[in-house]
Amino acid sequence: MADLVIPASLVLTAIFYSFVIIGLIVGLMRKQKSTSPYKPFVSIIVAARNEEENLHRLLPALVEQAYPEFEIIIVNDRSADKTSAVVTSFQQKHKNLKFIEVSSSPADMPPKKNALAQGIKASKGEILCFTDADCVPTRQWVGELVALFQPETGMVVGYSPYDDSLQTGLPKAGFLKELFWKFSAYEELKAAGWSAGSIAWRKGWLCTGRNLAYRRSVYDEVGGFEKIKASVSGDDDLFLQLVRRETAWKIRYSFSPESFVKTIPPATFSAFLEQRKRHFSAAKFFPFSMKLFFFLFHFSNLALFIGFLGFLMGLSPLLIGLPCFAAKLVADASLFFISSETFRQRGFAVYFLLMEILYIFYNTLIGPLGFIRKFEWKPEPKL
């Protein structure tokens, strides 16, 4: 009987893992395409800190939005570079561009949430759209997000792929850096599949603040960021979960390619590591049931890989490891195919197996660091 424990556990693990992935696949296939003629006034809000170079690319993309009525609010959070001068220069030519200077941050509110809250406070829009300074939206971005706001819709989530062509001033990338950038983009595609698939089941867990919109009334209804201020990050994930738990508003995902917002990938592995640890840190404030679910899922992924290694090593209790790992790969490949077609990211197929193995190590080694490290939105400027 004892000899059956490990094989039976691996089978159950493979069933659980595959069940979750199939659920995400079904969610992705349930996407809604209806649009609304609703054209409210929109406020685009960006929190910026030491973003002088990136703003030269973002601001033209924002002022050229193909939407009838909108304002742009740039919140400068104590930048030490020429962020203020860049925005002021654009402001002279574009009357719908507002500029807010934040000179200090309250001790009980994380800097980025405080900056966004200041922007929201100054806004006039019925719909609030958010992106980051290192992003480049399409001209149709605002219009595509707003088109999904049916009367019962309170929030719309979008996709923000990494695009290494936006990197400037860097030496030619070698093999390892190219691999790192490909994994960064692949991980973002995986996150989009999780976000869109879970939102379709009204179980939204994840989203990105680089491409997000919600009603001002939704923000007011949940009390802004007050209930999630304990986390340095989470103005996206934790806010989405708050809306899902505490309101009757529906959340939708935008699958239109014109709504996708390209963003600059981290230039170095250390920058990527710090960014991801900061993102993982928000998980400390997930509900216990959600933390348990993600722990079991990622543990299952690791266990199935270990079972496969046991098979390769000829360990008899782990001979079942091959079919269990194969079942995992079939599920992963199916989700990858649906996601890559949905989000127009078709360049990863030849790297699929390597990316999935790296993904296991990524969640196993980097994920826990978000629970044990303290983070800042960005380092304090040096005086």
Side-chain angles (χ1 to χ4, degrees):
M1 182 65 70
D3 292 341
L4 296 177
V5 172
I6 292 178
S9 298
L10 278 177
V11 171
L12 291 175
T13 299
I15 291 172
F16 167 72
Y17 184 92
S18 300
F19 179 80
V20 172
I21 297 298
I22 291 170
L24 294 174
I25 292 171
V26 173
L28 280 171
M29 297 177 69
R30 294 173 62 190
K31 57 186 179 183
Q32 298 173 310
K33 298 181 180 180
S34 59
T35 59
S36 168
Y38 177 55
K39 298 288 183 184
F41 189 81
V42 169
S43 295
I44 303 171
I45 301 173
V46 180
R49 189 170 193 184
N50 298 326
E51 298 285 4
E52 98 181 68
E53 293 186 10
N54 291 328
L55 286 171
H56 282 293
R57 185 162 34 201
L58 171 70
L59 290 175
L62 294 184
V63 299
E64 294 172 5
Q65 286 296 301
Y67 188 80
E69 292 187 290
F70 65 97
E71 64 178 357
I72 303 165
I73 301 176
I74 306 296
V75 186
N76 181 26
D77 183 21
R78 301 164 295 158
S79 294
D81 64 358
K82 297 180 181 178
T83 290
S84 180
V86 172
V87 179
T88 301
S89 175
F90 269 85
Q91 192 177 27
Q92 293 172 355
K93 302 175 183 178
H94 302 280
K95 301 303 181 184
N96 65 337
L97 175 57
K98 293 183 179 180
F99 184 43
I100 298 174
E101 292 272 13
V102 173
S103 58
S104 62
S105 184
D108 64 342
M109 181 67 72
K112 187 176 183 181
K113 289 193 180 79
N114 176 64
L116 292 174
Q118 296 302 316
I120 293 171
K121 183 179 179 180
S123 68
K124 299 187 299 182
E126 185 178 340
I127 299 294
L128 309 176
C129 292
F130 300 88
T131 190
D132 285 347
D134 57 355
C135 295
V136 184
T138 68
R139 290 189 72 245
Q140 292 75 30
W141 172 57
V142 168
E144 291 294 325
L145 293 185
V146 172
L148 293 179
F149 277 90
Q150 301 291 338
E152 71 279 5
T153 305
M155 175 182 262
V156 174
V157 176
Y159 177 46
S160 182
Y162 283 131
D163 186 345
D164 57 35
S165 70
L166 299 178
Q167 291 279 18
T168 58
L170 295 178
K172 185 177 180 180
F175 172 76
L176 289 179
K177 180 159 283 190
E178 287 283 355
L179 179 63
F180 153 65
W181 279 342
K182 287 185 184 300
F183 177 75
S184 300
Y186 183 81
E187 193 273 337
E188 196 63 37
L189 176 64
K190 293 272 288 189
W194 273 86
S195 178
S198 61
I199 286 172
W201 289 105
R202 299 187 182 181
K203 297 291 184 182
W205 299 309
L206 310 171
C207 66
T208 175
R210 302 193 302 266
N211 191 358
L212 185 64
Y214 46 79
R215 296 179 187 271
R216 171 60 184 271
S217 59
V218 169
Y219 176 83
D220 292 335
E221 184 175 341
V222 298
F225 301 129
E226 187 66 24
K227 296 176 182 176
I228 57 173
K229 66 182 182 181
S231 172
V232 170
S233 59
D235 53 275
D236 39 28
D237 294 348
L238 296 179
F239 189 82
L240 176 145
Q241 294 172 26
L242 193 63
V243 172
R244 178 173 60 80
R245 290 195 309 268
E246 299 195 1
T247 78
W249 292 101
K250 291 184 178 180
I251 302 170
R252 297 188 64 183
Y253 200 98
S254 177
F255 295 97
S256 167
E258 296 298 332
S259 73
F260 298 167
V261 175
K262 293 182 180 179
T263 189
I264 304 172
T268 64
F269 178 74
S270 61
F272 171 79
L273 188 63
E274 287 303 311
Q275 181 195 69
R276 285 309 190 242
K277 287 189 292 186
R278 187 174 66 251
H279 291 176
F280 274 119
S281 70
K284 290 189 294 187
F285 303 93
F286 285 9
F288 175 76
S289 59
M290 191 175 294
K291 285 190 282 191
L292 178 62
F293 167 76
F294 278 112
F295 170 78
L296 291 175
F297 178 81
H298 292 303
F299 178 80
S300 297
N301 202 5
L302 177 63
L304 292 170
F305 180 63
I306 292 174
F308 175 63
L309 294 180
F311 164 79
L312 294 180
M313 295 168 62
L315 301 177
S316 57
L318 294 174
L319 294 180
I320 193 67
L322 177 61
C324 287
F325 188 70
K328 165 199 143 45
L329 286 183
V330 170
D332 287 332
S334 300
L335 178 60
F336 165 74
F337 176 77
I338 297 295
S339 297
S340 60
E341 288 298 311
T342 298
F343 298 111
R344 310 290 181 91
Q345 296 285 310
R346 303 183 180 95
F348 297 109
V350 296
Y351 301 96
F352 167 71
L353 182 57
L354 175 60
M355 293 294 122
E356 279 300 317
I357 292 174
L358 290 176
Y359 189 71
I360 295 171
F361 287 104
Y362 163 74
N363 282 292
T364 302
L365 300 177
I366 297 178
L369 296 179
F371 287 79
I372 60 177
R373 290 279 305 277
K374 291 185 178 181
F375 306 94
E376 295 179 282
W377 170 31
K378 290 186 178 180
E380 292 289 338
K382 295 181 180 180
L383 300 177

